[in-house]
Amino acid sequence: PDGQAWILPCGEKFRVGNLAHYDLLLGPHLSCRETYDRRLEYAPDIIPIYDWLYRPAPDGQISSKSPAACSFKGGERQVDCLRAGIDFEIFPTPMRMSDQLARRRKNYRVTLDNYTDGHWGLFGMESLAQGIPCVTYIHPLNEECFAILKAPAPPFVRCAFGGVDLAEKFREVLSMSEIEWRFLSVIGREWIERHYDPERLVWRWDSLYDRLQ
């Protein structure tokens, strides 16, 4: 949290006891590297961005009656958002993937990935693919992932560690004009198509597996 070092809270819980037996350790979050004796290599999640569930909803199909924001995380800040007049829904866990993707793409104006882990996850990338602006906190260690992908940082709306400014960030997006919101929606989807296309990401996996031969 100090911006200089990051060790996964309760990291021992997730630690593989016999790391020496493995020639390659892969993961999507470099902020977990300390837990794995700095042997963790970045391997991006691959999502089917051209499947209809991962595409933006057609114009005119985004509901104005449902909650404005959603996430699987952020319950600690939900009351703050409600007090600020922002309807913030926390999805139950587990939840069928197809159901929540279909629900998200038409019913929400902004999403939260997370503000405590220091990385974005599938929720964030899926949101950008669906053209939904997404708020997240990214620890500096995970900025290295973008350099590995040879891509600029995705157009996330950045919040502070701990989400202390979450309501403010939500309001920032929700107060946008339709033109401003649509611009943020479009650049999110364009970033995904340009830099997170599954065929483009395969080279990273291939290069890592080639090291085993």
Side-chain angles (χ1 to χ4, degrees):
D2 60 8
Q4 301 300 317
W6 186 270
I7 297 177
L8 186 68
C10 304
E12 291 298 320
K13 177 180 177 182
F14 303 100
R15 189 180 181 87
V16 177
N18 54 346
L19 293 184
H21 293 178
Y22 295 88
D23 294 318
L24 187 61
L25 300 172
L26 307 180
H29 310 306
L30 286 179
S31 55
C32 300
R33 185 181 279 175
E34 294 288 346
T35 305
Y36 295 96
D37 295 338
R38 299 198 61 77
R39 288 181 51 204
L40 187 72
E41 296 286 351
Y42 172 63
D45 291 313
I46 295 180
I47 59 176
I49 63 172
Y50 297 106
D51 183 277
W52 73 272
L53 284 171
Y54 293 88
R55 288 177 176 271
D59 289 345
Q61 290 194 18
I62 298 177
S63 172
S64 60
K65 298 179 181 179
S66 296
C70 71
S71 181
F72 278 117
K73 300 183 179 181
E76 306 91 339
R77 298 293 174 186
Q78 191 175 28
V79 171
D80 296 343
C81 292
L82 294 175
R83 285 175 178 166
I86 298 168
D87 200 352
F88 177 32
E89 180 175 359
I90 307 294
F91 287 164
T93 302
M95 183 178 183
R96 186 190 299 271
M97 191 73 170
S98 57
D99 290 347
Q100 60 104 342
L101 282 169
R103 183 171 170 182
R104 273 163 54 185
R105 69 191 290 268
K106 290 186 178 182
N107 293 313
Y108 302 92
R109 301 285 289 183
V110 62
T111 67
L112 166 70
D113 190 315
N114 78 72
Y115 48 65
T116 57
D117 297 341
H119 59 249
W120 68 95
L122 281 174
F123 204 88
M125 289 302 183
E126 290 163 353
S127 294
L128 296 186
Q130 292 179 322
I132 306 173
C134 181
V135 177
T136 194
Y137 165 72
I138 300 178
H139 188 276
L141 282 175
N142 279 301
E143 300 284 352
E144 184 183 341
C145 297
F146 308 134
I148 292 172
L149 290 181
K150 302 175 183 176
F156 288 122
V157 177
R158 305 290 189 99
C159 69
F161 176 77
V164 293
D165 57 349
L166 181 61
E168 176 185 336
K169 295 301 180 180
F170 277 164
R171 188 182 299 283
E172 181 181 311
V173 175
L174 295 171
S175 64
M176 290 178 174
S177 68
E178 188 62 28
I179 292 176
E180 291 172 324
W181 185 89
R182 184 61 60 185
F183 174 77
L184 198 55
S185 170
V186 168
I187 64 172
R189 176 66 195 190
E190 286 181 346
W191 188 93
I192 288 289
E193 291 185 2
R194 185 173 300 169
H195 303 293
Y196 219 77
D197 179 284
E199 292 186 10
R200 182 181 183 278
L201 297 182
V202 165
W203 71 267
R204 175 62 179 170
W205 285 86
D206 285 347
S207 66
L208 292 168
Y209 280 123
D210 284 346
R211 288 167 45 180
L212 298 175
Q213 299 177 6

